[in-house]
C-alpha cells in the first residue's frame, strides 16, 4: 500500500459504507434512525445517551441494547483477540511479502476490525440483522481489490471477532440463558461474515 493514497482509492473509501438505514423507516420509530445515522457518519459507536434514547423509543430492544453496550465497551480486547487469531493463522502475513506488510497495512486491517464490530453493534441495537448496504459493500469490495487486501485474513478476523464477542456475552456464562442469548446474537455476525465471503466471487 502506497503511503499516499490515490484519488480513486480516497473516493472508494468515502463510498465504502457498510451500513444502510434506508429501509428502517417501516420498522423503527422515526426518532431512532437519526441516532444511528449520526453515529455512522462520525464513524463512532453509539453513546450511552444514544442507547438510552433508542431504548426509550423502542423498549422491546432493552436486552439488545445491553449487548451492544457490552461489545462497545470491550471492543479493544475483542479486536486484540481477533488480531491474534489472524496472526496465528497466517504467521507470515505481517512479514515482508505478506499481505499485511508493511505495518500501515496491518494497522488498516485492525482498524477495519474495529469498524466491523461498530457496524454489527448498530444492527444489534436496531434489532435488524440485515443492516448492510449492497452499494456500500460493492465499493468496499472494489476498495479491497484495489488495495489487494488479503480477504481470507479479513474473513478469519471477522470470525474471530464473532467468537471473542459471543464469549463475552452474559459474562461468558454457560447456562441456558447465556447460550440462548449467544444464539440470538450470532446472526448479526454471520450476516457480515457472509457478505465479506461474497467478495471472493
Amino acid at each position: 500500500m502506497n503511503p499516499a493514497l490515490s484519488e480513486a482509492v480516497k473516493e472508494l473509501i468515502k463510498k465504502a459504507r457498510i451500513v444502510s438505514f434506508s429501509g428502517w423507516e417501516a420498522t423503527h420509530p422515526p426518532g431512532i434512525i437519526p441516532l444511528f445515522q449520526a453515529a455512522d457518519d462520525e464513524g463512532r459507536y453509539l453513546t450511552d445517551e444514544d442507547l438510552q434514547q433508542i431504548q426509550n423509543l423502542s423498549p422491546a430492544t432493552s436486552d439488545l441494547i445491553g449487548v451492544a453496550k457490552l461489545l462497545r465497551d470491550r471492543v479493544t480486547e475483542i479486536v486484540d483477540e481477533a488480531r491474534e487469531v489472524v496472526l496465528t493463522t497466517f504467521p507470515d502475513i505481517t512479514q515482508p511479502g505478506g499481505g499485511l506488510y508493511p505495518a500501515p497495512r496491518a494497522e488498516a486491517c485492525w482498524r477495519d476490525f474495529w469498524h466491523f464490530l461498530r457496524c454489527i453493534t448498530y444492527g444489534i441495537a436496531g434489532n435488524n440483522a440485515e443492516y448492510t448496504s449492497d452499494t456500500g459493500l460493492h465499493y468496499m469490495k472494489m476498495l479491497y481489490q484495489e488495495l489487494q487486501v488479503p480477504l481470507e485474513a479479513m474473513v478469519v478476523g471477522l470470525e474471530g471477532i464473532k467468537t471473542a464477542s459471543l464469549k463475552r456475552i452474559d459474562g461468558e456464562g454457560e447456562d441456558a440463558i447465556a447460550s440462548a442469548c449467544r444464539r440470538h446474537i450470532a446472526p448479526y455476525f454471520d450476516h457480515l461474515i457472509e457478505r465479506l465471503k461474497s467478495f471472493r466471487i
Side-chain angles (χ1 to χ4, degrees):
M1 185 186 302
N2 295 326
L5 297 175
S6 70
E7 289 305 315
V9 167
K10 290 178 183 177
E11 194 61 31
L12 286 172
I13 290 172
K14 289 179 189 175
K15 293 179 177 179
R17 300 280 292 264
I18 295 173
V19 182
S20 172
F21 309 105
S22 61
W24 290 30
E25 290 87 352
T27 53
H28 291 71
I32 282 181
I33 297 170
L35 299 172
F36 285 96
Q37 192 64 66
D40 191 41
D41 289 345
E42 296 168 21
R44 60 171 173 81
Y45 282 73
L46 294 160
T47 64
D48 285 347
E49 183 179 350
D50 293 333
L51 292 169
Q52 186 61 56
Q53 288 188 59
I54 292 165
Q55 186 170 332
N56 292 344
L57 290 165
S58 183
T61 63
S62 294
D63 291 343
L64 294 170
I65 294 294
V67 172
K69 184 177 187 300
L70 168 71
L71 298 179
R72 179 202 70 192
D73 291 346
R74 302 186 74 172
V75 59
T76 299
E77 60 192 79
I78 290 169
V79 169
D80 285 348
E81 196 166 305
R83 180 178 63 216
E84 287 308 308
V85 172
V86 171
L87 295 176
T88 300
T89 307
F90 306 95
D92 298 324
I93 199 167
T94 58
Q95 301 303 312
L100 294 181
Y101 180 88
R105 285 180 67 86
E107 289 306 316
C109 171
W110 317 141
R111 278 196 302 276
D112 278 2
F113 288 178
W114 189 92
H115 285 294
F116 287 161
L117 186 59
R118 172 177 67 83
C119 295
I120 290 165
T121 63
Y122 294 165
I124 293 170
N127 191 21
N128 188 339
E130 303 286 329
Y131 52 86
T132 53
S133 161
D134 289 342
T135 302
L137 286 169
H138 168 72
Y139 285 115
M140 186 176 168
K141 178 180 179 179
M142 291 175 63
L143 177 65
Y144 274 21
Q145 289 173 340
E146 181 71 21
L147 296 177
Q148 297 182 324
V149 174
L151 184 59
E152 294 301 324
M154 301 304 285
V155 171
V156 166
L158 189 48
E159 289 171 338
I161 289 169
K162 174 187 173 182
T163 300
S165 296
L166 298 186
K167 192 165 69 176
R168 285 162 173 80
I169 291 172
D170 234 28
E172 302 186 30
E174 292 301 329
D175 55 73
I177 294 174
S179 178
C181 183
R182 287 195 292 270
R183 283 198 305 274
H184 183 61
I185 297 301
Y188 294 91
F189 294 87
D190 293 338
H191 175 69
L192 188 53
I193 289 168
E194 290 308 311
R195 298 307 303 269
L196 199 61
K197 284 181 177 178
S198 75
F199 286 10
R200 297 168 177 154
I201 301 170

